[in-house]
Amino acid sequence: MAGINFFYNFSNPIEKQKEQQKARKDALIKKNYDEIYAHELAHKTAGGSLAGNIVIEKNAEGIPIGGHVNIKMPSLNKNNPQKTIDDANTVIRSAMAPIDPSAQDFRVKAQAENIKMRAQAVKNKGVGEKFDYQA
């Protein structure tokens, strides 16, 4: 008499639950990473040579929770205020480049605008002080 082999494909509910949790976590990691990376890439692209590398921060579970791009904030160059103004404009564009600027992005913008105003004042200081006496 030939034996009968039955193959039962029982799915283990605990394993299935673990697989579903892993799939949800993987989807969350991808979603967060993509959103954060797009935001930081906008900063980096607009910041040009003043922008550093993109850094993605993750929590203990490996889920991306934030990111940043260091940007070289200009300092007031009294010998070349136009360069300071140009660099400040680059920082401002970089800070506001993402579709969804953060509170930190607005703080960086404000700081660059302050530096730009000071540089503009230095640049304009001599304007109007020179007269043409050959009239």
Side-chain angles (χ1 to χ4, degrees):
M1 179 177 217
I4 301 175
N5 291 326
F6 289 100
F7 177 73
Y8 292 101
N9 188 5
F10 291 109
S11 62
N12 183 338
I14 294 172
E15 287 300 317
K16 189 169 187 162
Q17 186 179 22
K18 285 181 183 178
E19 288 172 10
Q20 289 171 341
Q21 286 174 340
K22 183 179 180 336
R24 281 193 297 271
K25 181 180 175 183
D26 290 347
L28 181 61
I29 287 171
K30 181 174 178 4
K31 177 185 170 288
N32 285 8
Y33 183 88
D34 290 349
E35 288 174 4
I36 293 166
Y37 188 83
H39 180 102
E40 300 307 331
L41 183 60
H43 288 310
K44 181 161 179 61
T45 301
S49 64
L50 298 179
N53 293 326
I54 295 173
V55 176
I56 304 291
E57 299 150 1
K58 299 177 183 178
N59 66 12
E61 295 177 19
I63 298 171
I65 56 169
H68 66 272
V69 170
N70 289 332
I71 189 146
K72 183 176 183 255
M73 187 64 69
S75 57
L76 182 57
N77 181 340
K78 292 183 180 184
N79 295 324
N80 190 352
Q82 186 59 51
K83 176 164 178 21
T84 303
I85 292 167
D86 294 343
D87 286 352
N89 283 333
T90 298
V91 171
I92 293 165
R93 278 192 307 276
S94 177
M96 295 294 100
I99 294 169
D100 56 344
S102 68
Q104 175 63 21
D105 297 338
F106 283 103
R107 284 190 290 274
V108 168
K109 175 188 175 206
Q111 186 179 357
E113 285 175 336
N114 183 280
I115 293 168
K116 178 181 173 181
M117 265 187 347
R118 290 176 30 225
Q120 192 68 48
V122 169
K123 181 179 176 184
N124 293 339
K125 186 175 181 179
V127 176
E129 293 179 3
K130 297 177 184 173
F131 297 100
D132 185 358
Y133 291 107
Q134 294 179 326

